[in-house]
Amino acid sequence: MKLRIAACAAAFVTLAAAPAFAQADASVKIAKQSVNEQLRARLPEAIRSAGKMTAVNSGSFPPYEIVQSPTEVTGASADLGDAVGELLGIKIEHATVNGLSSILTGIKAGRYQFAMGPVGDFKSRQEANDFVDWVREYVVFAVQKGNPGGINSLDDACGKRIAVQSAGSAEKVIKAQAEKCAADGKPALTVQSYPDQPTSILAVRSKRADAFFSSQAPLTYFVQQSNGELELAAVGKSNGFSDLFQGAVVPKGAELGGVLKDAIKVLVDNGTYAAVMKKWGLENNKIEAPGINLSQN
């Protein structure tokens, strides 16, 4: 328990050092959901009896997850998670841990029921987890204004200091690129791995890193908060990824996965999903319907 509290406190301190987050579109209202008794009946008995389940996160991942305190989260994921909770007639509580690996380990160990995420869905991760995919994402760079390093594609990262979130899919791709730079005889790519998004973007703002390589949606959010210091680079390029689906995470084979998928499908059909994505400026990240383990990568 002491370790959990320490991890939560560390994540919150990191958030406090980060730039202020932009506000959502207040004109978009999210409708309250009525309990869907058929979906509720499919919940594991332990969750129904408790009347709640815990969604774990690894710190702020705006505009999806914005951690106000270790147990208070806002953002698109929180709004969608709250709507799912209303449909299921339960309360969604939040816990913050240090890093993505702690999320996956905690879910596998049963300390948390799920992560709303979205977390990158990859074949290698599907071996121990199921992903309830609800967004499509793109991976780009956040750089200093004017892009002084001339980073316009993944190949341009050679010779640069690139920040990434540790244990994420972007880290795997940028480490492979570092190996490619060395094999091609190009200047060394230095990978700087950080436990969360705010610390990673701070490395670029303080010029300790030349770029932060991560999902376009949160990077757009951070760029908007940089007072003109930062901009996006290599937008519209594959950057080492093909179709990149992201979603909620549950233990492999858990009944909860199917329940979450069908609950999100209800929210897609009744317009709540679209409203949440519009509220947080994520219209370009919508998918037509949620699915389990959609990634083939």
Side-chain angles (χ1 to χ4, degrees), residues 170-233:
E171 182 186 52
K172 181 178 179 180
V173 169
I174 208 68
K175 284 183 173 180
Q177 181 63 27
E179 294 177 0
K180 184 175 184 296
C181 293
D184 293 345
K186 295 181 178 180
L189 189 166
T190 302
V191 179
Q192 298 179 358
S193 298
Y194 296 99
D196 52 44
Q197 296 265 338
T199 308
S200 302
I201 202 71
L202 185 61
V204 182
R205 295 191 71 173
S206 62
K207 300 184 179 181
R208 288 180 286 112
D210 298 303
F212 176 26
F213 186 55
S214 189
S215 300
Q216 183 169 320
L219 288 192
T220 299
Y221 212 79
F222 281 122
V223 166
Q224 291 171 346
Q225 299 311 298
S226 71
N227 296 319
E229 293 179 15
L230 305 177
E231 64 182 55
L232 297 181

Side-chain angles (χ1 to χ4, degrees), residues 120-137:
D121 175 5
F122 293 93
K123 280 289 187 182
S124 58
R125 291 179 180 169
Q126 292 173 11
E127 295 175 3
N129 313 273
D130 282 332
F131 291 81
V132 184
D133 297 319
W134 56 274
V135 296
R136 186 191 302 271
E137 191 50 274

Side-chain angles (χ1 to χ4, degrees), residues 51-113:
K52 63 182 181 180
M53 58 181 176
T54 302
V56 62
N57 65 78
S58 62
S60 288
F61 181 49
Y64 295 107
E65 294 175 318
I66 303 168
V67 179
Q68 308 288 355
S69 76
T71 58
E72 182 183 358
V73 180
T74 61
S77 298
D79 282 349
L80 196 66
D82 286 345
V84 167
E86 290 169 0
L87 276 177
L88 300 177
I90 60 171
K91 182 180 179 181
I92 304 297
E93 297 185 341
H94 300 279
T96 299
V97 297
N98 190 24
L100 179 58
S101 60
S102 295
I103 285 181
L104 300 179
T105 300
I107 291 173
K108 185 176 181 179
R111 289 193 292 273
Y112 318 105
Q113 283 72 52

